[in-house]
Every structure is written in structure tokens, then in C-alpha cells.
Amino acid sequence: MGGSNAAYLDAKQREVVRQLNRSWLWRSELPTWLLIATVYGGWFLTLANWQALGLFPATLLLIWFTTWYLSVQHELIHGHPTRWPAVNHLLGIAPLAVWYPFALYRDLHLVHHQNDALTMPDEDPETYYFSVRKWQGFSGWQRRLVRLRNTFAGRLLLAPAMDILQTLVTMIRAFREQKGAAMVMWIVHGVLLAGVFALMAHYDFPVWYYLLAVSYPALALTKIRSFFEHRAADDPLARSVINEASLPWRLLFLNLNYHSVHHDLPGVPWYGLRKIYLLYKEDYRQRNQGFVVKGYGQWLRQFFVRPLDVEQHPSAAVENRVITQHE
């Protein structure tokens, strides 16, 4: 469960993780099974009873459960709660967040976990950096748009729309180029989405309202987690943040705020990340060269309207990698 690409602190930590893997709790994956039942059950019960709850409370609950579901999908990608990818796929295929097929998210995210390419433009599909060549080719308005997206406010308000647009372009390209597997993925996604919308119609919950008031805010919340989650650094082990967030954020994001630990040990389940971090707190602070923040409020205060310096990648090695890829 540590993962074939796990990067342990030392042999002693490897043994500690191995012992935890053998514990009943980790082997049973009970916390993840309970979480899946809670998320699906909570989402459905909220939808079915939204009129009794009231629109505003129901909206808040649906935003929470939808965001939580996106965190659950991340766990499914990393081999929880079962060792069978097909089973995990079925557990995460429902399009509660609307826009992204689970298979698309899975494939891109697994590429993101190639740590030597982390943050590298044209290699890491989740990076916010651009190569020098691409950045220099941007017009003035494109650079201003990127800088706006790199503010905390921009990530909340603008970034979800940009991601949705990029995803729709990906879908159109799949059909235009007649990519069989991708077309099947999108057709299945569309059929399942029609089922979700039919369920909303059955309970008289407006689909348009769900898109604007539930799905979009849920995507925006995930942008809080990923805000400055990675930085450009020479050492791949220093590229992922440790965010000592409060309990509600840790619960919503399933401890992915300890992102440096997750990238070192991607197979460790969500309920083990905090435990391992607390056991080796100082080691991880040194390992990622002090890339540590005291909660998401720190980013909010520092970068609400001031953009992060996440534009052209500062490493000269990026251009060499890009040139090599195209030779």
C-alpha cells in the first residue's frame, strides 16, 4: 500500500508503514468504506429532502458532499478501498460533480504523480506553470488572465470555468479525432449524467441551479486545496506543500493538505497521512525545505488579490526537456 513509487524517509519508516499496512484498520479500509457510504448517502438524502430542509441549507450540504466526493475519487485513484481498479472505478464513476469523467481525472492524476516531472510544463497535467517559450508567446490579455487566475480570488471565481472549458475542448477533440476509448468514456459519462439529472428532476431540484450553485462552488473549493500546492524547486521532494490546516479542511480534503507526505507515499490511505506526518513532522519539514504553511487562511491573506509568481517555470531544465520531447 505504500506504492511502488514510494519515497520513504529511511528504512525505519518503511517498516513503520509496513506494520500499519498489516493493521486491521488499514487492511479492512473501514474508514474509506464508511466515508463512501456517508458521501453517497448524504448527497442522495439531501437531494431527496431538499424542500423539507430548505433551499439554502440543502445547497450548503450538497456543496459539501459534492466536494467530499471529489476527495473520495482521489482516494479511489490511489487504490482505496479495494485493490481492484475496476471496482474502485465503479465506486467513483457517478458524475456528481458533473464535468469530469472519472477515467479522465484518474489518467491525468496518475501522470501528475511522476515526481521527477512535477510542476514541469507539458509533462505535469496539473501544473500551473508554463514553459518560457509558451509564456513568451502569450498576448497581453492572456498574461493578465493567467495572473488573475493565480490570485486566491481568481482560483475561486475564474479557475473552475477555465477547467470546465478545457475539459469540454478535450471532449470535442476526442470525437473530432475519433478516439475510440475516449469517445466511449464520454458517452458513458453522458448517460450517467443524464441519470443524475433525471434524479434531480424527479425531486424537482433545478438542474441549472445545481450547475451554478452546487457544482461550480464545489469545484471552487477544490481550488482552495490546490492553491500553491506545488512550487518549482530543483529537488522533486521539495515541490509539494505541507499545509497544517484545521480539522474541517482536513476532513473535507481527506488530509491532502499534507501533500508532501502524499506525494512521497501515494499509496497511504487518507486516514494515515496525518498520523505519518505527526510521527515524522520535523523530517518532512526539512525534506521539503520549509515549504510549510499554517492553514489556507495564510494563502487567503497573502494572495487574495495579489497573484502567485506561478507563470513561466524558472528552471532552465524545462526548455531542454521540452526540446528533447519534440526531437
Side-chain angles (χ1 to χ4, degrees):
M1 196 176 289
S4 59
N5 57 339
Y8 297 96
L9 293 169
D10 50 37
K12 289 184 179 179
Q13 190 200 37
R14 183 193 297 268
E15 184 57 31
V16 168
V17 174
R18 186 175 297 170
Q19 291 299 323
L20 288 169
N21 281 334
R22 294 172 181 169
S23 68
W24 177 84
L25 186 68
W26 284 35
R27 284 189 294 109
S28 68
E29 291 269 12
L30 182 61
T32 304
W33 284 114
L34 291 175
L35 177 68
I36 291 170
T38 300
V39 171
Y40 271 116
W43 187 91
F44 176 79
L45 288 173
T46 301
L47 179 68
N49 297 282
W50 73 270
Q51 293 178 341
L53 290 168
L55 182 60
F56 184 67
T59 300
L60 294 180
L61 284 171
L62 285 171
I63 291 171
W64 174 275
F65 285 119
T66 304
T67 308
W68 220 2
Y69 180 68
L70 290 167
S71 297
V72 168
Q73 285 184 313
H74 177 268
E75 281 298 297
L76 295 165
I77 288 171
H78 286 287
H80 310 287
T82 82
R83 297 181 179 181
W84 299 289
V87 175
N88 293 339
H89 186 102
L90 288 175
L91 291 171
I93 198 173
L96 301 189
V98 177
W99 302 102
Y100 307 104
F102 176 70
L104 179 64
Y105 174 32
R106 177 199 63 206
D107 294 346
L108 293 176
H109 187 70
L110 290 177
V111 173
H112 167 71
H113 268 271
Q114 297 174 8
N115 282 350
D116 64 328
L118 197 60
T119 76
M120 295 295 186
D122 302 321
E123 294 185 67
D124 178 1
E126 296 183 15
T127 189
Y128 283 98
Y129 288 96
F130 299 95
S131 66
V132 174
R133 182 181 303 177
K134 191 165 187 178
W135 179 257
Q136 291 177 347
F138 282 165
S139 63
W141 72 265
Q142 287 174 314
R143 294 187 182 188
R144 287 192 293 273
L145 186 66
V146 169
R147 286 170 181 147
L148 180 58
R149 184 186 65 173
N150 284 341
T151 66
F152 197 92
R155 290 288 176 88
L156 289 174
L157 301 175
L158 179 62
M162 295 175 72
D163 286 356
I164 290 169
L165 179 60
Q166 184 177 4
T167 303
L168 294 177
V169 169
T170 300
M171 178 187 68
I172 293 169
R173 184 179 297 122
F175 283 93
R176 180 182 297 164
E177 298 176 2
Q178 297 186 347
K179 296 179 179 179
M183 290 168 62
V184 170
M185 175 191 72
W186 279 107
I187 291 170
V188 170
H189 182 73
V191 170
L192 293 172
L193 190 59
V196 171
F197 288 166
L199 188 64
M200 291 179 192
H202 176 74
Y203 290 110
D204 297 320
F205 195 90
V207 170
W208 68 265
Y209 181 82
Y210 187 88
L211 295 177
L212 294 177
V214 176
S215 176
Y216 200 94
L219 296 178
L221 282 175
T222 67
K223 296 301 180 182
I224 293 177
R225 175 184 64 78
S226 63
F227 187 83
F228 210 14
E229 199 169 53
H230 297 287
R231 66 175 179 181
D234 291 334
D235 184 355
L237 297 177
R239 294 175 187 171
S240 302
V241 75
I242 293 170
N243 192 317
E244 296 181 330
S246 60
L247 178 60
W249 292 117
R250 297 200 307 266
L251 187 61
L252 182 63
F253 298 146
L254 301 184
N255 288 325
L256 280 178
N257 49 290
Y258 304 113
H259 213 63
S260 183
V261 183
H262 170 63
H263 267 267
D264 276 11
L265 304 172
V268 167
W270 64 275
Y271 46 86
L273 289 173
R274 177 171 168 81
K275 180 180 182 67
I276 290 175
Y277 173 66
L278 293 178
L279 283 173
Y280 303 98
K281 186 174 182 177
E282 293 307 316
D283 296 285
Y284 277 110
R285 284 168 165 258
Q286 293 178 22
R287 188 181 183 86
N288 82 340
Q289 300 175 16
F291 189 24
V292 181
V293 293
K294 296 290 186 180
Y296 296 104
Q298 180 174 333
W299 293 149
L300 174 66
R301 292 187 297 272
Q302 288 183 270
F303 298 106
F304 187 72
V305 293
R306 181 165 67 90
L308 287 166
D309 185 16
V310 180
E311 296 174 359
Q312 53 186 357
H313 200 283
S315 174
V318 170
E319 296 308 307
N320 295 331
R321 292 169 75 108
V322 171
I323 291 170
T324 302
Q325 285 181 338
H326 290 87
E327 286 180 347

